Amino acid sequence: MNCRHCQHPLQHVFLDLGFAPPSNAYLTPDDLRAPETWYPLKLYVCAHCWLVQTEDYARADELFRHDYAYFSSTSTTWLEHARRYVEAMRERLVLGPHSFVIEVAANDGYLLKNFVAAGVPCLGIEPTAGTAAAAEQLGIPVLREFFGERLGQKLAADGRRADLIVGNNVYAHVPDINDFTRGLKAALKPGGTITLEFPHLMRLIEHTQFDTVYHEHFSYLSLYTVSRIFQAAGLRVCDVEELPTHGGSLRVHGCHVEDVRVTTSAVAALLEEESRRGLQTVNTYAGFQARADRIKDDLLLFLIEQKRIGKKVAAYGAAAKGNTLLNYAGVKRDLLPFVCDAAPAKQGKYLPGSHIPIFSPSVLLEHQPDYVVILPWNLRDEVMAQNAAVRDWGGRFVTAVPGLTWV
Ligand SMILES: [Zn+2]
């Protein structure tokens, strides 16, 4: 097997989580009577370009054919993040009625609606039918396609190159990152800007965020590796921001390689930090598995202990990262009888693999669990604020990553 970016043979396993079903393959009651497909879930690191990547085993359309239930607008934190981003970019790039903005993976229009409100013409690209329809209802034009070089060239040929191309939490999810990046190059106007947000590999390693690993998440990216991928496509990283989202993300600003813009000092500073932390050293990647196993074991011990002493435990947030954690730990309904989630599209369904049922958050009030395990730890503060009533009966909130804690 060769590296998806540079084609060098992959020899170093970074993390092996055994087998798991696709993390967004939520099940209906009917699905529970049918077999479920589990795929190997294993990460390699390329010792040439340092791209951390999933093992190549299944086609993307197989993973994304599932009724994708994630609607970005269900997280108020994320909505506010998008609103502030649009405000900052409108000011920075002086975007107005004559500009054109493209968002790849526009989801339900959580971000582009801010450009619509400001009178900036935009286009969403979103292959998932349910979320695309929601975006269209907000007045956002949507192309229901996967983005790549072919679509980028088509947009260019149609005279629809963009002043700004936005990609939030999509770059790590594309199977062919070279093709996707060439698409960005093709669809970008001369002088235009690309911004991509993705979880930062440096933080994943630092905080043992192994539960952010799942099949649909093909690449785990450092600034170093993204700079190489951009360069290979005729693009340049000209600025970078560190963001707290998803446990530590990067927002990379890109432009054509020949753009007159000067690359900011933030780029060199972060490249230096990554190097200092050993992101281009094989040894840095060894030992991660043992740390992941420790977290998994601690959660399992906690759940077994609570069951033995008769305490009630439930989970909150039917997120992809929760599925990775629960399936790696082998947790089933006997240890965690249900999970609550605010997204109506997920309620009434079951988590893939563990088959734990998903209920509305109101069920917490009925059952009054002693412990509520927050699976999307990155939204911990938001979840605790929205479910403050749990405190009324002495309930406590638990997170498992980067180490078991309860408050
Ligand atoms: Zn490589």
Side-chain angles (χ1 to χ4, degrees):
M1 185 184 152
N2 297 327
C3 171
R4 284 203 192 91
H5 170 57
C6 75
Q7 307 306 320
H8 274 248
L10 293 176
Q11 290 160 332
H12 303 281
V13 174
F14 171 50
L15 180 67
D16 188 348
L17 296 178
F19 282 66
S23 68
N24 281 306
Y26 295 93
L27 305 167
T28 63
D30 273 355
D31 292 333
L32 292 185
R33 294 198 292 268
E36 187 179 25
T37 311
W38 290 47
Y39 301 92
L41 184 51
K42 198 173 184 179
L43 295 188
Y44 286 85
V45 58
C46 172
H48 183 71
C49 74
W50 302 101
L51 177 63
V52 171
Q53 53 202 287
T54 53
E55 189 175 20
D56 238 338
Y57 66 95
R59 302 204 322 273
D61 53 356
E62 191 156 333
L63 290 174
F64 290 107
R65 82 190 146 81
H66 300 285
D67 189 19
Y68 190 59
Y70 187 75
F71 283 70
S72 295
S73 293
T74 49
S75 163
T76 50
T77 309
W78 191 238
L79 282 174
E80 178 58 15
H81 176 77
R83 194 192 60 76
R84 282 208 305 264
Y85 164 82
V86 170
E87 207 171 272
M89 293 309 287
R90 276 179 56 214
E91 194 171 312
R92 180 170 173 152
L93 303 177
V94 199
L95 299 172
H98 304 294
S99 312
F100 184 47
V101 176
I102 293 176
E103 188 187 13
V104 182
N107 199 271
D108 57 9
Y110 74 100
L111 185 140
L112 287 181
K113 68 176 183 182
N114 297 291
F115 280 115
V116 170
V120 179
C122 59
L123 173 70
I125 296 169
E126 176 54 61
T128 309
T131 48
E136 281 168 342
Q137 278 172 6
L138 298 173
I140 299 159
V142 180
L143 272 182
R144 296 177 191 214
E145 291 191 54
F146 282 102
F147 186 79
E149 188 174 18
R150 191 192 55 77
L151 183 56
Q153 285 176 345
K154 187 178 178 300
L155 288 164
D158 294 346
R160 303 182 87 191
R161 287 194 294 181
D163 299 282
L164 172 64
I165 305 178
V166 189
N168 283 347
N169 296 305
V170 58
Y171 204 44
H173 289 73
V174 294
D176 188 345
I177 200 163
N178 291 338
D179 179 76
F180 184 92
T181 310
R182 288 193 297 266
L184 295 174
K185 168 81 180 172
L188 188 67
K189 253 185 214 169
T193 301
I194 297 160
T195 71
L196 301 176
E197 290 181 22
F198 49 83
H200 191 190
L201 176 64
M202 190 173 89
R203 300 298 173 204
L204 181 152
I205 294 173
E206 182 184 2
H207 301 297
T208 324
Q209 297 160 350
F210 77 98
D211 57 341
T212 63
V213 172
Y214 41 91
H215 300 105
E216 301 92 322
H217 193 174
F218 291 91
S219 305
Y220 302 80
L221 299 158
S222 63
L223 179 62
Y224 173 84
T225 300
V226 169
S227 300
R228 287 184 71 134
I229 298 170
F230 266 41
Q231 202 168 18
L235 296 168
R236 171 164 58 93
V237 173
C238 56
D239 194 11
V240 65
E241 299 168 71
E242 290 191 81
L243 309 171
T245 45
H246 294 286
S249 295
L250 294 184
R251 180 185 292 151
V252 157
H253 297 243
C255 59
H256 290 292
V257 72
E258 69 278 9
D259 195 283
V260 294
R261 252 171 289 186
V262 176
T263 300
T264 66
S265 59
V267 175
L270 190 54
L271 286 173
E272 208 277 318
E273 186 179 359
E274 286 185 351
S275 172
R276 191 158 35 81
R277 287 175 184 248
L279 259 67
Q280 289 111 52
T281 311
V282 170
N283 278 346
T284 305
Y285 298 88
F288 187 79
Q289 179 88 45
R291 282 156 55 201
D293 286 353
R294 166 101 203 196
I295 291 172
K296 184 258 296 179
D297 294 348
D298 284 350
L299 173 68
L300 212 40
L301 283 169
F302 170 80
L303 293 175
I304 292 169
E305 168 88 3
Q306 300 317 315
K307 185 182 174 184
R308 290 259 164 96
I309 61 175
K311 296 283 187 186
K312 290 193 287 184
V313 186
Y316 193 96
K321 56 171 71 69
N323 292 328
T324 294
L325 176 66
L326 298 178
N327 286 328
Y328 184 48
V331 172
K332 301 279 194 294
R333 287 178 78 161
D334 62 313
L335 292 177
L336 205 49
F338 65 94
V339 55
C340 290
D341 197 287
K346 288 181 181 172
Q347 292 164 8
K349 292 186 175 166
Y350 297 81
L351 297 183
S354 64
H355 298 184
I356 293 169
I358 308 167
F359 298 142
S360 140
S362 64
V363 176
L364 281 182
L365 302 176
E366 292 166 34
H367 286 259
Q368 306 203 344
D370 300 292
Y371 293 99
V372 177
V373 181
I374 302 174
L375 297 172
W377 42 259
N378 53 311
L379 302 175
R380 192 182 75 153
D381 293 344
E382 180 180 335
V383 169
M384 290 199 304
Q386 285 171 351
N387 298 279
V390 168
R391 306 276 191 201
D392 296 347
W393 61 82
R396 306 179 81 174
F397 293 99
V398 180
T399 45
V401 179
L404 194 72
T405 51
W406 51 85
V407 287

